Amino acid sequence: MIRGLLFDLDGVLVNTNPLHYQAWKELAEELGIPFTPKDHEAFLGVSRAQCLELLLQKGNQSFSPQEKARLCGRKNDRYRELIGGLTPAALLPGVPEFLKAARAEGYRIGLGSVSKNAGFILEKLKITAFFDAVIDGTGILSGKPDPEVFLKGAQALGLLPEQCVVFEDSAAGIEAAHRGGMKAVGIGTPQRLPAAELTIPGFAGLTPAVLLSKLV
Ligand code: BG6
Ligand code: MG
């Protein structure tokens, strides 16, 4: 029986993916590396350092570890500028209602994000109090598709992996859920996330009870 809901953050609760894209795009331009929204697909769910590796691979460029740390820092400074103005209005449609319904229905709620900015964003969106556990990029060693973030999330909720469902917008995150022994609900289209057990365009009009009845 499902007792816990583990949510990814970027692209699931809030539409920050375009802001990540913009910050990477600006860095890519400085480095003279072509970068399109299609290239950014592979960055979803992937840690900041790993995203930089993907970008440098694409541009066939190499830097020292110190220079890479500086480049990651520049990207993040720009991203922090872009997310500085987030308010609860940035929550994706239906998200606050879904989280409220999840509490009312007695589910334990966890965040499983590889972002190191997750705590800051939850505060900006004023949804920190919904979460019984927050696992983010500051508390893990391996990003998705490694299952670490979700396994730690289940553990922090006091549940077994099979008692949890993951909500994810990235292929890497769906794979992480599966490798952790959890089912995954994809936020997006079945074409983009074919491995998810169920795909929804978003949370509007849904409650956990209704949604999970379609999962079995
Ligand atoms: C994920 C995003 O949620 O967080 C990735 O999907 C991003 O695109 C990753 O690279 C790390 O985020 P941050 O905020 O730590 O740079
Ligand atoms: Mg995401």
Side-chain angles (χ1 to χ4, degrees):
M1 190 176 129
I2 297 300
R3 299 186 51 205
L5 310 179
L6 288 170
F7 294 88
D8 173 46
L9 175 66
D10 295 313
V12 169
L13 302 178
V14 58
N15 192 19
T16 37
N17 289 337
L19 306 181
H20 277 295
Y21 171 72
Q22 190 177 330
W24 283 120
K25 172 89 180 156
E26 288 174 17
L27 186 69
E29 271 168 12
E30 281 176 39
L31 296 171
I33 302 172
F35 188 66
T36 65
K38 182 94 193 77
D39 295 320
H40 189 247
E41 272 282 309
F43 284 35
L44 301 184
V46 173
S47 74
R48 194 184 311 158
Q50 198 52 40
C51 289
L52 180 69
E53 294 296 336
L54 293 175
L55 184 68
L56 296 179
Q57 259 170 36
K58 174 136 201 279
N60 215 0
Q61 298 190 13
S62 60
F63 288 94
S64 69
Q66 291 84 346
E67 285 167 326
K68 284 185 198 170
R70 219 168 20 81
L71 291 172
C72 277
R74 286 236 304 281
K75 185 271 173 180
N76 195 50
D77 288 347
R78 181 66 182 121
Y79 181 62
R80 292 285 290 215
E81 272 175 27
L82 293 170
I83 59 175
L86 286 180
T87 70
L91 286 165
L92 285 166
V95 165
E97 294 81 4
F98 192 84
L99 291 173
K100 266 180 219 147
R103 286 229 81 95
E105 291 172 8
Y107 290 101
R108 294 187 202 162
I109 305 177
L111 190 89
S113 166
V114 304
S115 172
K116 293 184 173 162
N117 295 297
F120 176 77
I121 293 173
L122 291 181
E123 287 295 319
K124 286 271 171 196
L125 300 174
K126 299 201 191 313
I127 54 170
T128 309
F130 279 113
F131 292 89
D132 301 299
V134 171
I135 311 295
D136 65 18
T138 64
I140 53 167
L141 295 173
S142 309
K144 301 164 187 175
D146 190 283
E148 181 184 6
V149 69
F150 293 133
L151 289 174
K152 285 199 165 144
Q155 197 180 27
L157 294 180
L159 298 173
L160 296 169
E162 57 267 32
Q163 294 177 300
C164 298
V165 164
V166 165
F167 294 89
E168 255 297 342
D169 70 313
S170 71
I174 306 272
E175 186 182 334
H178 289 164
R179 280 166 61 179
M182 302 170 212
K183 287 186 179 165
V185 176
I187 312 299
T189 63
Q191 290 73 25
R192 213 174 58 73
L193 299 168
E197 274 75 18
L198 178 68
T199 318
I200 56 172
F203 293 102
L206 285 173
T207 64
V210 169
L211 187 64
L212 297 182
S213 71
K214 297 181 189 168
L215 243 197
V216 281

